[in-house]
Amino acid sequence: MHFSSTLLACTAIVSTASAGFKGFNYGAFFLNQAPKKQADFEYEFNAAKQLPGTNGQFNSARLYSMIQWQTTNTIIEAIPAAVNTKTQLLLGLWASSGQTSFNNEISALKSAISKYGKSFTDLVVGISVGSEDLYRVSPTGIQNKENPGAQPSELVKYIQQTRDAIKGTGLAGKPIGHVDTWTAYVNSSNNAVTSACDFIGVDAYPYYQTTMANSIGNANATFYDAYQQTVKAAKGKPVWVTETGWPVSGPKQNQAVASADNARIYWQDVSCSLMKKGVNLWYYTLQDAQWGNPSPSFGIKPAGDLMQVKPAFNLQC
Ligand SMILES: *[C@@H]1O[C@H](CO)[C@@H](O)[C@H](O)[C@H]1NC(C)=O
Ligand SMILES: *[C@@H]1O[C@H](CO)[C@@H](O)[C@H](O)[C@H]1NC(C)=O
C-alpha cells in the first residue's frame, strides 16, 4: 500500500513535470574554437540534469549541427554523449552554408542512424533544418553583418531533402521544423518555410529588442507578444521555444540591464510560465563562458567547473 501510493504520487509529479521538453542549447565548440568532445558534451548534459531547483528536468539538448566541429562530415560527438547519458535531442542541421555543406549534414545524420540505431533515434524529439537563416537574410541581420543566411526557397528544399533522408529509417515520423527569430515568421515572404514544417522553433530575446521599451519590467510582455505573433503565423503548427534568455552580465541594450537579478526575474516570469503551460523550452543557456569571456553572457553557470560552481541565480519556479 505504502509503496503503491508513493509510486502514484511520483507518477503524478513526473507527468506534470514532463509535459513539455526542457533543455538548453549546446554549441559544437568552445569560445576558443576548440571542438567539444564526447566527454565535454557528457559533462554538460549531466550538469544540466543536476541543476539545483529543477528536479532533473533539464534533460533535453538542442544542437545546431550534426557535424563534429572542424571535420567534413563526422558525426558530432554530442550523439554518443546523449546515448550514454540518455539525453533527449532536438537535432539541428546547419543550413546557411550552401548545398554541399547541407549534403554533409545529411550524410552525418544518416551515419548516426546506422551507427547508433535505436539508442540514438529513440532520443530524438525533433529535427530542425536551419537556425536563424531567415533572420540573417533580413535587413537587421544584414545590418548586424550576420550574413550569409538562406532564402526561404532554399530552406524548403533542404526540409524536403531531410524528409527524404529519414524515410524508412528509425527517425521516420519524427517532426521536422525550422528555428528562426520571431521576426522571420511574421514576415509573410517566409510563409513557404512555415508551411513546409511540422513545428516552428522560435528564438526571442527582449534584451535585443532595442527599438522597443525593453526593460526587465516589460520583458515578459515583450516575450509573449513575440511568441503569440509566432503562434498566429504558425497557423496551428506547434511552436517550440528554441532560444530565449536574459544575460547575467554585459552592456545595457536600450532599457535592458544585464544582471543576475534580472535573469532571475526573466526565468521566473518567462521560463517558469512556459514550463507551466507545457511549452517546449530550450533555454539559452547553461554556460557560455568556457575558454573565453563572452559579453553579454547568458550562462546560468558562471565560468568554472560546471559541477561545482553555483548557478548565478535561483532556478526554482
Ligand atoms: C522578409 O523576408 C524576405 C525573405 O526571407 C527577406 O528578403 C526580407 O528582407 C524580409 N523583410 C524583413 C523586413 O525582414
Ligand atoms: C507573462 O505573460 C504571460 C502571457 O501573457 C502570462 O501567462 C504570465 O502570467 C505572465 N507572467 C507574469 C509574471 O506577468
Side-chain angles (χ1 to χ4, degrees):
M1 224 20 235
H2 178 73
F3 174 75
S4 58
S5 60
T6 309
L7 193 68
L8 269 180
C10 285
T11 314
I13 290 164
V14 168
S15 59
T16 11
S18 59
F21 308 126
K22 297 167 194 66
F24 295 104
N25 288 274
Y26 295 88
F29 53 91
F30 293 111
L31 280 182
N32 63 359
Q33 296 288 307
K36 289 185 190 171
K37 302 289 201 176
Q38 182 176 339
D40 300 314
F41 284 114
E42 287 190 16
Y43 166 73
E44 293 185 353
F45 296 165
N46 285 329
K49 291 177 202 170
Q50 289 172 17
L51 281 173
T54 66
N55 299 319
Q57 293 177 66
F58 279 77
N59 62 353
S60 190
R62 174 179 168 235
L63 307 178
Y64 295 87
S65 174
M66 282 306 300
I67 301 173
Q68 179 65 7
W69 188 242
Q70 292 169 348
T71 73
T72 305
N73 58 12
T74 304
I75 306 165
I76 191 167
E77 292 183 25
I79 304 303
V83 169
N84 281 354
T85 58
K86 303 226 176 347
T87 301
Q88 280 175 0
L89 289 165
L90 170 53
L91 301 177
L93 278 69
W94 190 253
S96 273
S97 305
Q99 181 70 65
T100 308
S101 150
F102 196 77
N103 291 345
N104 288 328
E105 291 284 349
I106 293 281
S107 154
L109 178 69
K110 286 182 162 172
S111 310
I113 298 170
S114 42
K115 182 160 182 195
Y116 299 106
K118 223 173 128 54
S119 61
F120 158 57
T121 56
D122 281 355
L123 294 169
V124 175
V125 300
I127 305 168
S128 173
V129 175
S131 177
E132 300 194 356
D133 317 272
L134 298 170
Y135 160 72
R136 287 194 294 276
V137 296
S138 76
T140 328
I142 292 166
Q143 190 192 321
N144 292 342
K145 302 199 175 20
E146 308 256 21
N147 255 342
Q151 294 298 327
S153 57
E154 226 177 326
L155 290 173
V156 168
K157 188 179 66 175
Y158 294 155
I159 290 168
Q160 188 55 50
Q161 290 170 3
T162 307
R163 290 196 189 286
D164 294 342
I166 64 170
K167 233 172 243 164
T169 75
L171 289 181
K174 300 285 182 181
I176 296 179
H178 170 69
V179 168
D180 226 301
T181 56
W182 67 278
T183 48
Y185 297 116
V186 302
N187 175 352
S188 59
S189 302
N190 295 323
N191 280 356
V193 175
T194 310
S195 303
C197 288
D198 301 321
F199 71 90
I200 303 305
V202 67
D203 294 354
Y205 292 93
Y207 171 77
Y208 287 121
Q209 291 181 234
T210 51
T211 60
M212 299 176 185
N214 67 340
S215 69
I216 188 64
N218 277 336
N220 188 64
T222 307
F223 171 84
Y224 273 101
D225 179 57
Y227 174 76
Q228 291 303 346
Q229 288 197 53
T230 307
V231 168
K232 200 167 146 215
K235 299 196 171 68
K237 305 218 167 149
V239 175
W240 300 358
V241 177
T242 38
E243 282 183 37
T244 195
W246 191 275
V248 295
S249 63
K252 193 173 175 193
Q253 296 276 5
N254 190 27
Q255 302 170 348
V257 175
S259 73
D261 285 347
N262 287 347
R264 162 65 191 162
I265 294 169
Y266 194 79
W267 180 267
Q268 175 82 56
D269 290 0
V270 175
S271 302
C272 293
S273 63
L274 287 172
M275 290 191 266
K276 205 168 148 200
K277 291 176 211 289
V279 176
N280 300 333
L281 167 66
W282 289 270
Y283 188 85
Y284 190 86
T285 198
L286 178 63
Q287 188 185 53
D288 59 2
Q290 311 97 326
W291 309 110
N293 201 1
S295 179
S297 174
F298 284 80
I300 287 176
K301 291 262 189 160
D305 183 346
L306 265 174
M307 295 293 187
Q308 301 297 331
V309 293
K310 287 206 178 73
F313 56 92
N314 178 3
L315 298 169
Q316 238 145 11
C317 283

